[in-house]
Amino acid sequence: MYFAEENERLKEIVRRIAERSPGNVTARPVDALVYTVVRATGAERCLELGAYEGATSLYIAQGLADNGSGELLAVEIEEASARGARKHLEEADVAGYAEVIVGDSREYVPTLEDSFDLVFVSTPPQQHATDYENVRPLLAEGGFLGIDNATGSSEAVEKARDDGMDVLEFDDWSFALAQA
């Protein structure tokens, strides 16, 4: 099964996150798309910047669990949000596939050395260009880069194009997906 929208447990957790955070979190096709990318590509190492309370983390970790292996490293700047993400991953029974780190992605990512098959950027749009510069060297050959709230981060999307990445933009979702 490659269709995350059929997972009622994840949808219920995201619905509860959205109720507590009106305007910040909604169940979105982007999450189902990211889940599908993880499943279809067999991604093993994933990085998420700006995890908030873990809505997208849930779908990435569920994709890894459904594949039977892999790990997600999620970076969240707010301690309370990181605690929420950890709680939601536990509740969904996919915490074994994810680690949530508290830190500023602009400072944390440059300390990483491993490559990633999928990088999902969901930090504030004004930070996307910096995050792109930091994650691009870590993106595995053929890996995928998702940029959430892409409408406000055209500079990061253009940098991906300039680097020769294939970029698909989903304007209705304010999301861009690029492949190295």
Side-chain angles (χ1 to χ4, degrees):
M1 168 179 88
Y2 290 137
F3 300 103
E5 60 271 0
E6 296 174 11
N7 190 319
E8 294 300 323
R9 181 179 58 195
L10 295 188
K11 287 188 339 189
E12 174 59 22
I13 295 169
V14 171
R15 185 192 62 73
R16 288 196 324 266
I17 295 170
E19 283 178 357
R20 286 193 317 279
S21 308
N24 290 334
V25 176
T26 58
R28 307 164 307 147
V30 167
D31 296 326
L33 175 63
V34 170
Y35 168 88
T36 302
V37 169
V38 170
R39 289 289 310 210
T41 64
E44 284 283 323
R45 295 203 21 92
C46 302
L47 175 65
E48 179 184 15
L49 308 182
Y52 188 56
E53 288 211 11
T56 304
S57 305
L58 289 169
Y59 283 90
I60 296 171
Q62 185 65 59
L64 295 169
D66 289 348
N67 284 346
S69 67
E71 64 180 327
L72 164 65
L73 177 60
V75 182
E76 172 52 47
I77 197 165
E78 300 290 335
E79 174 65 44
S81 294
R83 275 194 311 273
R86 288 185 199 105
K87 177 185 136 205
H88 296 124
L89 289 158
E90 286 284 340
E91 185 179 347
D93 200 28
V94 293
Y97 293 91
E99 180 180 3
V100 181
I101 301 293
V102 176
D104 186 325
S105 62
R106 294 167 293 190
E107 296 169 6
Y108 183 75
V109 171
T111 69
L112 299 173
E113 295 179 4
D114 294 333
S115 65
F116 295 90
D117 304 308
L118 170 72
V119 176
F120 185 82
V121 177
S122 187
T123 53
Q126 65 272 18
Q127 185 177 322
H128 286 179
T130 300
D131 284 329
Y132 175 81
E133 292 292 332
N134 289 336
V135 300
R136 180 61 181 101
L138 302 174
L139 194 60
E141 184 64 35
F144 286 87
L145 170 68
I147 302 173
D148 204 7
N149 300 309
T151 304
S153 63
S154 60
E155 184 180 355
V157 173
E158 288 310 311
K159 285 181 181 220
R161 281 195 177 98
D162 291 346
D163 283 349
M165 295 177 74
D166 294 323
V167 179
L168 292 173
E169 289 187 77
F170 301 88
D171 292 334
D172 291 348
W173 302 345
S174 185
F175 181 71
L177 182 66
Q179 184 176 21

